[in-house]
Amino acid sequence: LVLGTVGLVFFACGAFATTAGAAFEATLSTAYTACQFFGWDWGQDHEPKDAPLFSASFLVAILGALLVAFTGMDPVKLTIYTTALAGFCLPFTFIPLLLVANDKRYMGEQTNGRLANVAAIFFLVILCTVTVATLPLFILSGFGGG
């Protein structure tokens, strides 16, 4: 109120800039992750013609975000659902990593030691507790609605 219309314009520009920056950061992160996972060329050191799959992944991520936006789905609810799903899935991704970390064929001298395994089992118990609690808590909360 103190800055009037000028303050509103500055706020709107700042809100747009931060939202757009976050959107581009999220889509770039999606493209980087996909390219790293599949072993494709990626990164800012490549021209788009030198890393076409990175450019395509970035474009697909933007189009996917636009598709979600145009469906009218509530982004907050979508975030709640995906976060609950991620929490539920954590042990299923952690256990294979723990197995590989203890396999001398893959890890050689870098195999987990006793202390690392104690810590890993401690966190695995926590992750399993989260997984078991996720579905009932999600239902009791009205599917994230409060």
Side-chain angles (χ1 to χ4, degrees), residues 33 36-37 67 94:
T33 302
Q36 289 173 1
F37 179 80
L67 182 65
F94 187 78

Side-chain angles (χ1 to χ4, degrees), residues 123-141:
F123 287 111
L124 181 59
V125 169
I126 291 172
L127 294 177
C128 288
T129 304
V130 167
T131 296
V132 169
T134 296
L135 190 57
L137 288 174
F138 201 59
I139 292 168
L140 290 172
S141 72

Side-chain angles (χ1 to χ4, degrees), residues 74-93:
D74 181 358
V76 174
K77 281 195 177 211
L78 179 62
T79 302
I80 291 169
Y81 294 154
T82 57
T83 302
L85 178 64
F88 183 83
C89 293
L90 282 172
F92 304 109
T93 58

Side-chain angles (χ1 to χ4, degrees), residues 3 9 20-23 31 33 48 70 73 87 90 93 107 117 122-124 130:
L3 297 176
V9 168
T33 302
F70 288 138
M73 182 180 289
L90 282 172
T93 58
M107 299 303 294
N117 280 326
F122 172 76
F123 287 111
L124 181 59
V130 167

Side-chain angles (χ1 to χ4, degrees), residues 3-94:
L3 297 176
T5 304
V6 172
L8 179 63
V9 168
F10 278 124
F11 171 78
C13 289
F16 176 78
T18 55
T19 303
F24 280 113
E25 182 179 343
T27 52
L28 275 172
S29 175
T30 300
Y32 280 125
T33 302
C35 290
Q36 289 173 1
F37 179 80
F38 290 112
W40 301 335
D41 286 335
W42 56 277
Q44 60 190 7
D45 296 334
H46 296 288
E47 292 292 322
K49 65 180 174 59
D50 298 330
L53 294 174
F54 173 73
S55 300
S57 298
F58 180 60
L59 181 61
V60 167
I62 290 174
L63 293 175
L66 286 172
L67 182 65
V68 169
F70 288 138
T71 64
M73 182 180 289
D74 181 358
V76 174
K77 281 195 177 211
L78 179 62
T79 302
I80 291 169
Y81 294 154
T82 57
T83 302
L85 178 64
F88 183 83
C89 293
L90 282 172
F92 304 109
T93 58
F94 187 78

Side-chain angles (χ1 to χ4, degrees), residues 90-101:
L90 282 172
F92 304 109
T93 58
F94 187 78
I95 290 171
L97 291 174
L98 184 58
L99 293 173
V100 169

